[in-house]
Amino acid sequence: METRFRSRFFVVIALVFLGLCGVGSVSAEDRRPKNVQVALQAKWSGTPLLLEAGELLSKEWKDLFWDFIEVWLHSEKDDTGFYSAKDCLKKILGHGRSLLWEPLASTFEFSLTLRSASPRLVLYRQLAEESLSSFPLTDESTQNSVGEEISETNEHLSTKNSDPISVGVNPKSPGGKCCWVDNGSTLFFDVADLRSWLHNTNHPTEDSFQQPELFEFDHIHADSKAGSPVAILYGALGTDCFREFHLALVEASKEGKVKYVVRPVLPTGCEAKIGHCGAVGTRSSLNLGGYGVELALKNMEYKALDDSTVKKGLTLEDPHTEDLSQEVRGFIFAKILERKPDLTSEIMAFRDHLLSTTISDTLDVWELKDLGHQTAQRIVQASDPLRSMEEINQNFPNIVSSLSRMKLNDSVKDEITANQRMIPPGKSLMALNGALINIDDVDLYSLVDLVHQDLSLADQFLKLKIPHTSVRKLLSTLPPSDSSTFRVDFRSSHVHYINNIEEDSMYKRWRSNLNEILMPVFPGQLRYIRKNLFHAVSVIDPATICGLEASLCLLVKEGCHFFPMRFGVILYSSKLIKQIENNGGEINTSLMEFDNLNEEDLSSLIIRLFLYVKENHGIQTAFQFLNNINKLRIESDGPTDDALEREHVEGGFVETILPKAKSLPQDLLLKLQKEQTFKELSQETTMFVFELGLAKLRCCLLMNGLVFDSNEAISMCELGELKRYLEENHEITIDILALEALMNAMNDELSRIQEQVYYGHINSHTDVLDKFLTESGITRYNPQIIADGKPKFISLTSILGVEAVLNNVNYLHSPETIDDLKPVTHLLAVDVTTKKGMQLLREGLRYLISRSKVGRLGVLFNYNHDAEVSSILFMKVFDFTMSSYSHKKNVLDFLDQLCSFYEQNFLPMSSEATGSTQTFIEKVSEIADANGLPSKTYHTALSDFSAENLRTHYNKVTQFLHRKLGLDLGGSAVITNGRVMYPSDGSAFLSHDLHLLESVEFKQRIKHILEIIEEVKWQDVDPDIITRLRKEIGLVWVVPFRCRSLWIESFWWLWRKKESKWVISAVILGNENSIIHIDAVIDPLSQTGQKVSSLLRVLWKYIQPSMRIVLNPMSSLVDLPLKNYYRYVVPSMDDFSSVDQTIDGPKAFFANMPLSKTLTMNLDVPEPWLVEPVIAIHDMDNILLENVGDTRTLQAVFELEALVLTGHCSEKDHDPPRGLQLILGTKTTPHLVDTLVMANLGYWQMKVSPGVWYLQLAPGRSSELYDFKENSDGNQQHPLSKRITINDLRGKVVHMEVVKKKGKEHDNLLVSDDDDSSQDDKKGNSWNSNLLKWASGIIGGSEQSKKSKSTSLEQGKGGRQGKTINIFSIASGHLYERFLKIMILSVLKNTNRPVKFWFIKNYLSPQFKDVIPLMAQEYGFQYELVTYKWPTWLHKQKEKQRIIWAYKILFLDVIFPLSLEKVIFVDADQVVRADMGELYDMDIKGRPLAYTPFCDNNRDMDGYRFWRQGFWKEHLRGRPYHIRLPPADFICALYVVDLKKFRQTAAGDNLRDLPNYAQHTVPIFSLPQEWLWCESWCGNSTKSKAKTIDLCNNPMTKEPKLQGARRIVSEWVDLDLEARQFTAKILGDRIEEAVPPPIQSQDLITDPSAEDLESKAEL
C-alpha cells in the first residue's frame, strides 16, 4: 500500500514538474531520449577470422600454427550445413582451445574477438602484392589471364604506392586463382606445375634467381631443412587450392626438397571459394575495440554554434535496452513505468529533464568537499564493485547529485586519509604480478599482451607440477635494482694511479665529512670530499694518439685537483693482443721472443720504458715521458695525426731521464730493450687487458669499473685541452661542455654512492671501489653479453618432451662437480667442418677445464650436408664420450686432444686425404688410453657405425637449430639458459666470455628463481621428476623474465599493511591461487579511472585474476572532477551475428544523453593510433541532441587512418642530430614518407600501416654525413637501412644510433644561409636546394598531393601565375569549417597568384573533406591535408581546444614536407582584404617567425591586456606581445614562418615552450600593424587600413561569433552565401532539404539567459 502511494505521489510530482517546466509544450516525440553511437573502423578491409586464429596460436608456439591447420583440414571433411558468424567463432575457438591450457585459451578467445591479429594478415597482403608484382613474365605462354591479372595488380600498386596506407590493400585474385607458390623465380598457380618443379629440385644451386626473403614472423614448416629451396605458399586455409598445395609441400619438406613457408592470404574474389567459416570477417568492415569515447560537457561562454539547418541523418532503431533501473534524483523509473505505462512519453520526458538538471556545476562547495570519499564508499559497499566504479565514473554527471547526498562513514575517510600519507591524493598506480605498468599509456592491447606473457610463463611452470603459490612468486620475481649494473673488476698492480685523494697533501684542505655528498649543490658544481669515491681509469694503448692524449691531464696536478676523482691508466699492446687471440688466448714461449721478432711493436716498448721510469723516478715522471713522446710526434714534420715512430719513443725517453740520469740515456735504453723483467711485466699487463675483454674498446674509461667506451666517454682525451688551458692561463676555469661525457659518468655514479651513503652502506671507513667491485664485479667485459638492447631468448622446455632433440643432449662438467646442482646451462651450436666452429667448441672445453661450479656444457652439432665421413665420425666420438664418460676425471683432456688431432688432420675438409677412417679410429683409441678411458669400447663403438643413420640424426639437430634459432648451415651460436648469442665474425668467443655469460645469467635471473624453487613444497610429484627438475634447472627455467619496474618504497609499505585495514577503503577480489594478480591504486573520479575501471572489468571477465584495488580519491574537491560521459569499447560474442556471417563489431553507445546540453566528442585511443571521422552528419564538436530532429541515435564512424611509427635518434658524444632527414618505404619504393629528427630527445615520427618497412637516411646531406651504427651482433658494416615490421596495433618505438662518416666528424648537418652562400660560390648549389630534389610528403601523408597536381593553379580559373602562396589553417567543428571556406574565398579573391592551403586533417569533418577537393577544382587552388601525433614525452593538454591551439605552433618544423620553405598561418575565422602575396614576399630580416603585435588603441579593453602588467610586463621587457597564453581566450591569428630558417635554427625545439618565452631564443619579426585587425583590441580608426580582419572573441561583450561576423565585416555575408551555395550544390544529392538563405543579424538575437549554454570555441 505504501509503495503504491509513493509511486502515485512520484507520478503526481512528475506531472506537476513537467507543467512547471513547460515540457508539455514540446511534443513527446521531440523529447524522446536520444542516444549517441560511435564506431571505429580499420582502414583496411576485413580479414578472415579463421586466419587470425592461426596467427594467434603461432604466438603461443610456432608449431601450433601447423597443428591448427591439420585439425581444421580434418574437421572440414565432416562439415555440412550453414554456419553463422557466431557458430563459426565457436567452432574456431573450440579447435583453438583444444591446443591450449585453459587460462591461455581465455586470452586466445578474447584476442580473437578483439581481432588483434588482423594487422598480421594485412602485412601478408603487402608481401603477397609484392610477390605478384615482382613476378617476371618471361614467355608468351604465361601471357594468359593470370598474367593479365598480375599486370592489373602492378598498375594498382603503382597508383597506390604514393600512399603508404594503401600498401596493404588485399590483392585481387590473379586469373581466378586463390593460391600460388613463390620460389623466387616462378609463381606456381597449379599443383601440377609445382610438383614438376619439385621433381627437378635436386640441384637448387643451379637456380639463378635469388631466394625469397624470409622474416622472423614467417611460418616455416617443422620438417623443413636448412639450405633447401624456399617455397612460399600464399593462400587461405579453407580453400581447396590451399589443401592441395599444402599436402604437396608438406611431403616435399619431409623429403628435404623445400623449405615450406605459409603466408596466409585470401585474395579479393575468393570469398565464395572458401569453406563454411573461411570468409567470416571479410564481408564487413573491421570494427575495432580497445579505445575510449568521451562526450564532454562544453562550456558555452561564447556563441560558437553554426546556425545552418541541421541535416537529417538516419533514424536508427536502437538495439540497446535502456537501463531504467538506475536511480535518477531518487526516482527509479522502471517501477514508475510499470505502474503508469499510459504516461510513458511524459514520464520519459520528465526523466530526461531530471538528467539535464543534474548535469551542472551548481553543487555547493560543501557538497563537493567529500565527494571522492563518498564515491569510494559506494564502490566498496556495492555487490559488484568493478561495475559500480565503471557506472559512476562513466556517467558521473548523472550520478553526482545522488552521490553528494550519501551519508559518509567517517572510518572510510579516515582510512583513505591514512593511506594518503604514503601516496599523494589522486595518484593512480597499477601493477601486474608486481610489475609496475604505465597507467597513463596502458591500453587494452598492451595489457592483454602483458597478461598473456605471464600466463605463458605460468603455463610452463604449472606443467612442471609447481604449486600455484610458487608460480605466483616466480612471476613476481624482481631482481635487485642494481642487477643490471656490471662493473669490470680491474683491481691489480697493472693500474697506474697519478693521485690519491685520501693521502696526497694537495687535497688536505678538502673536507672529510662523507655526509656532505648528500648536500644539495648548484647544477654543475662538484663536491670536494677527501675520499676516493670516483676512480677514473683509462685503458689505453700508449702507441696510439688517443692513448697519448688520454694521459696529458694527469701531468698537471691542478687539473687533477679540479676533479674529485682518482685518475689512473692501464697500458696494453694491441699487436700483442692479436697474437694472444690467434694463439687461443695464451702467451706461449715463442712470444717470449716477441721483441726480437717484432721490433716495431712500439706499444710494448713504451710500456717497458714507462714501468722503468715509474720505478726509478716516480709516477709523475713516467707520465712526463708519455707527454714527451707525444710532443715529439706533434713537433715532427707532417700532420699531427701521423703514426708514432720509434725515434719519438727513444727521443722522449732520453729527454725525460737526461736531467736525472747517472749514465748516458742511450746506453740505458739499449740495456732496457733486452732486460727480461720489464718484458714480462709488459706482457702481463697486456694479458690482463685481454682477459678483461677491454682491448677492443679504443681508449675506454672505467668509472669505478663501469665501462664507457671511446664513443661514450672522453677517456681523458679532451682533458688534454684542460692542460693547455691551465698552462696558458694559470688558472682553473673548466668548460663543462667539453667534459660532458666524463662528468656524466661521474654523475651517474654519484647517485648510486649517495644512495649507499644515505642508507649507511658506505661510511668514512669503507673502501668504495672494493665494495662495488666485490658486490657486482665481473672479470670479463663483452658488449654482446652486457648490452643495452634486449637479448634474444628461446624456450627450451626439454623436460616436457616438447623438443626431443634436447632430451638426447648430454652434458660435460668441470672436474669433480658432476653431482653439483648446475643452474646455468650452456649449449654450443657448432659446425665442426669450419675453423670457427671448432674454435668455439675448444673454448667451451677450456671453460670447463678452468672450473665452473654452477655451469655445464652441452653441444648441438650444426650438421653440414657436405661433411665428410671423418667429420661425422668426430661428432659420433664426441657424443659417445659425453653420454658414457662425462663423469671420468680426464674426459675434458681427452676431448681437447681429440679436437686438436681432428683440426690438424681433417680441417679444412679438403685435407681428407691426409687421414682415413681407420686411422681416425686408431688415433681415438690411442688418445683414450692416454687419458684412462677404455680404448676397446671406442674401437667397438666406432668400427660398426652407420654414417647414414648418423646423418639422419644430425639432420634433425640442424633442423631444430634452424627452426628455433634461424641458424643456417655453418653458423655458430651460444645458448645460455635460453639466451641466444651469435659470436661475431670480427672477434673470437672465448672461454672467458662463457664465464661472463654464466655470471650475468646467474645474477640476473637464475639466482632468484633458484631461491624460490628451493622453497617449493612438492606434492604428489614423482621424486625422480623432482631430481631431474633440479638437475635441469638451467633448461627448465629459461623463460625471459621481462624488465619489471620496482615499486616505490612507500607503496610497498602500503601493501605491507594488514589486510583488515582495507576492508572499508579497498576492493579485494579473487583468491591467492589465481595466477594473475593485480595491485592498483586508483582515483575513481579521474580520467585515468574511467579507462582503468573498464580494463579491470575485462580482466575480471576473461582471466579471473585476484585484485587488490585501493581507492585513492582527491581529499577535498572544489569543482566537479569529471565533466564528461565516457565509454570504453570492448568486443564481445554478441558482435557476431547468429543469423548470417556478418560481424557488427564493438561500438560505444551512450544511452539517454541530455538533450539541451552541448556536448563535444573526443576519442581516447592508444598512443600509436591516428584516427579521423569518416561518417558524421552532425557536428561532433557541438552535439546538441534537441536539434537532431527525429533521429533517435546520433551516429559517428571514425577510421584508423594509420599507425604511428616513432623513434629516438642519438649520436654518441653529441646532442641528438637535429634536422637529420629520414625516409621510409618498401624495398621497391624506398621513399613513401619522410620526416626529420627533433632536438627534443632525438624524437621523430612517421605514419605507417601494417607491413614490412625500411628506414633509411635521406639522400643528400644526411646520408653524406651519417651512417647507421653497426648492428649489435658485432657486424662492423654499417647497415644502409633498418627493417621495421609492423604487425600489430601497438605501433613501434625505434631506438637508433647514427655515427658521422670518417672525415666528416666536424661537418655540421644544418648549414646556415651564410655557409650556404659560400658553398654556392664553390659548388654552384646548396644543400637546401638539393633538399628540394628529394623531399616529399611528411607524416600527414600526401594522399591529396596527387589531387593537387591535377588541379594545378595555372589550369585553374583566373589564370593564376607566379610563386605559390602557402597558407596554413586549422578548423574543428562545422562553424569553423564554415569560416574556413570564407577565409579561402577571401584569399583567392584578393590575389592572382597560385595558392596552396594546408589543413590539419585530424579535426576536419567528413563533409568538409568531401567538399574541399571539388572546391579546389572549382576555384583553382591546391590543398594538402597533414597531421602529426602529439608526442608522448611532451606534456599533453586534456582539452580538445588546447590541443588544437598547440598544433598551430608546436610542430611547424615537422608537420610540413621538408620541401616547403615558407608558410603563412591564417586563422579560420579571418577575412583577408589584401593580396597575401605581399605578405608572403615580405623580407622578415632572416627571422624564422613574423607576428603581428596586438594593437592597443581600443582603450575599452585595457583592463584585459594582461601583458601590460605583472609577470608578462617584466618578462617581455618592452618587446611587443605577439601571442596569447592558452588560458586567455585568444591566440595568434596571423603569422609567417620561414621554414628553412626555422629548421636551421631548431626554432621548433625551442617553441615546444610558449612562444613569448621563446622570444629570448627565437627571433620574432614584428609585422606591420595593418596586417591584423581585431575589433576586441583595435580601435575603429584603423579598421579602414586593415588587410585582414580576425573575428576574435571579445571577453567583455562575449558576442556570438556569427552575429559579430555579420556586423563587423561587410563582405562576410556575401562570402558566406557564396560558400554555402557551393556546398549545397556539392552535397545536394546527400541532403534532403536545401541550404537556407543567409541569416540576418537580428535572427541571431538570443535570450541572455542562454549564454551559459555557450562554449569557448576559439581555435
Side-chain angles (χ1 to χ4, degrees), residues 1027-1047:
T1027 302
R1028 189 178 176 192
L1029 271 172
R1030 289 171 55 82
K1031 287 185 177 180
E1032 299 279 350
I1033 193 168
L1035 277 182
V1036 174
W1037 316 111
V1038 296
V1039 286
F1041 285 89
R1042 68 177 185 271
C1043 295
R1044 296 168 178 267
S1045 303
L1046 292 173
W1047 295 85

Side-chain angles (χ1 to χ4, degrees), residues 663-858:
S663 59
L664 289 176
Q666 291 84 352
D667 296 339
L668 182 59
L669 183 61
L670 293 173
K671 180 181 178 180
L672 287 174
Q673 290 178 6
K674 299 179 180 179
E675 207 279 329
Q676 194 66 27
T677 303
F678 291 117
K679 284 184 183 180
E680 293 176 356
L681 288 174
S682 69
Q683 292 172 356
E684 288 175 9
T685 186
T686 297
M687 189 67 184
F688 178 66
V689 173
F690 170 78
E691 291 174 347
L692 291 180
L694 299 173
K696 295 189 179 299
L697 301 178
R698 177 177 171 267
C699 295
C700 76
L701 170 70
L702 301 178
M703 175 62 72
N704 286 353
L706 298 176
V707 180
F708 297 84
D709 65 26
S710 59
N711 291 323
E712 294 175 324
I714 298 176
S715 308
M716 312 301 182
C717 290
E718 277 85 350
L719 293 179
E721 298 298 325
L722 170 64
K723 170 185 179 294
R724 298 186 186 97
Y725 188 90
L726 290 170
E727 290 177 340
E728 292 173 4
N729 298 275
H730 305 289
E731 60 183 44
I732 302 174
T733 305
I734 304 298
D735 180 6
I736 295 298
L737 291 177
L739 303 169
E740 182 180 2
L742 180 63
M743 298 307 298
N744 285 343
M746 177 181 171
N747 289 332
D748 287 346
E749 187 71 339
L750 175 64
S751 61
R752 300 184 184 95
I753 295 176
Q754 286 175 322
E755 181 181 1
Q756 297 278 325
V757 172
Y758 179 81
Y759 288 108
H761 302 316
I762 292 179
N763 55 45
S764 58
H765 302 291
T766 306
D767 187 319
V768 174
L769 185 65
D770 281 348
K771 174 181 172 59
F772 281 163
L773 296 185
T774 300
E775 291 176 349
S776 57
I778 55 176
T779 58
R780 173 78 173 173
Y781 180 80
N782 185 329
Q784 269 193 282
I785 298 173
I786 305 173
D788 295 332
K790 293 183 179 179
K792 178 180 179 180
F793 286 91
I794 61 170
S795 181
L796 301 172
T797 49
S798 64
I799 198 167
L800 304 179
V802 176
E803 295 294 351
V805 168
L806 295 180
N807 283 332
N808 296 326
V809 173
N810 295 284
Y811 297 94
L812 296 170
H813 308 259
S814 289
E816 301 177 358
T817 66
I818 190 169
D819 294 326
D820 297 341
L821 180 65
K822 300 294 173 54
V824 177
T825 296
H826 299 291
L827 288 173
L828 304 184
V830 297
D831 181 355
V832 298
T833 64
T834 66
K835 287 188 176 181
K836 181 181 175 182
M838 285 303 300
Q839 182 182 4
L840 179 58
L841 183 59
R842 297 198 70 178
E843 290 298 330
L845 294 174
R846 292 190 182 105
Y847 157 75
L848 294 175
I849 292 172
S850 61
R851 303 195 65 82
S852 169
K853 293 183 178 180
V854 297
R856 63 177 183 170
L857 183 77

Side-chain angles (χ1 to χ4, degrees), residues 285-347:
S285 58
L286 177 62
N287 276 15
L288 299 171
Y291 62 96
V293 182
E294 173 196 58
L295 291 180
L297 298 171
K298 199 166 185 179
N299 184 358
M300 301 295 288
E301 184 178 356
Y302 295 91
K303 179 68 177 179
L305 289 175
D306 189 5
D307 61 358
S308 302
T309 302
V310 177
K311 306 165 186 63
K312 290 185 178 180
L314 297 175
T315 302
L316 179 72
E317 286 301 322
D318 178 17
H320 294 73
T321 302
E322 296 174 6
D323 183 11
L324 301 177
S325 61
Q326 185 176 337
E327 178 185 314
V328 179
R329 298 293 292 269
F331 294 95
I332 299 178
F333 282 87
K335 294 183 178 180
I336 298 176
L337 289 172
E338 284 181 13
R339 290 161 174 76
K340 294 293 179 180
D342 54 319
L343 297 176
T344 297
S345 298
E346 291 82 355
I347 292 173

Side-chain angles (χ1 to χ4, degrees), residues 1188-1201:
V1188 299
D1190 57 357
T1191 299
R1192 178 77 184 280
T1193 299
L1194 185 148
Q1195 287 184 288
V1197 178
F1198 289 77
E1199 184 177 78
L1200 176 61
E1201 181 205 358

Side-chain angles (χ1 to χ4, degrees), residues 295-305 359-361 1119 1123-1124 1156-1162 1181-1184 1376 1439-1442 1527 1529 1593 1598 1650-1658:
L295 291 180
L297 298 171
K298 199 166 185 179
N299 184 358
M300 301 295 288
E301 184 178 356
Y302 295 91
K303 179 68 177 179
L305 289 175
I359 305 163
S360 65
D361 54 0
D1119 193 10
K1123 298 180 180 179
N1124 66 350
S1156 57
K1157 290 291 183 181
T1158 303
L1159 307 171
T1160 184
M1161 182 183 294
N1162 295 309
D1181 267 19
N1182 301 281
I1183 300 172
L1184 193 58
Y1376 276 86
E1439 293 185 18
K1440 185 175 182 179
Q1441 300 303 326
R1442 310 274 179 130
D1529 301 317
N1593 289 329
K1598 298 180 181 179
E1651 284 196 2
D1652 62 334
L1653 306 179
E1654 300 168 354
S1655 136
K1656 295 179 183 177
E1658 173 67 55

Side-chain angles (χ1 to χ4, degrees), residues 498-642:
I498 186 68
N499 65 326
N500 189 322
I501 295 176
E502 296 178 2
E503 298 179 3
D504 293 350
S505 60
M506 62 188 296
Y507 306 104
K508 64 182 179 181
R509 294 190 178 183
W510 289 15
R511 296 182 180 182
S512 57
N513 184 0
L514 190 58
N515 288 328
E516 291 196 10
I517 200 170
L518 303 177
M519 300 298 291
V521 295
F522 291 106
Q525 182 179 347
L526 303 178
R527 295 170 174 85
Y528 297 99
I529 301 172
R530 193 171 188 185
K531 187 168 182 61
N532 293 322
L533 298 176
F534 305 98
H535 297 72
V537 176
S538 286
V539 183
I540 60 174
D541 182 339
T544 62
I545 298 172
C546 174
L548 290 172
E549 293 284 347
S551 60
L552 293 185
C553 165
L554 308 186
L555 297 171
V556 186
K557 288 191 176 182
E558 289 85 353
C560 297
H561 186 273
F562 179 80
F563 295 99
M565 302 182 193
R566 190 179 188 193
F567 293 106
V569 294
I570 303 175
L571 308 176
Y572 70 93
S573 165
S574 299
K575 287 188 176 181
L576 184 54
I577 290 286
K578 291 182 180 179
Q579 293 207 12
I580 294 173
E581 287 182 345
N582 295 333
N583 196 54
E586 297 177 353
I587 298 180
N588 59 18
T589 54
S590 64
L591 292 178
M592 298 301 293
E593 305 298 329
F594 183 74
D595 284 314
N596 295 332
L597 299 175
N598 298 276
E599 294 184 359
E600 293 305 315
D601 182 20
L602 298 182
S603 303
S604 291
L605 177 59
I606 294 173
I607 296 172
R608 294 202 305 273
L609 297 178
F610 177 90
L611 294 174
Y612 169 81
V613 175
K614 176 186 175 182
E615 182 177 305
N616 292 274
H617 303 286
I619 189 66
Q620 292 288 341
T621 308
F623 279 102
Q624 184 64 52
F625 161 59
L626 297 180
N627 182 46
N628 290 338
I629 294 175
N630 193 53
K631 183 177 66 173
L632 291 175
R633 179 188 64 84
I634 295 174
E635 292 174 353
S636 63
D637 295 335
T640 59
D641 59 350
D642 277 357

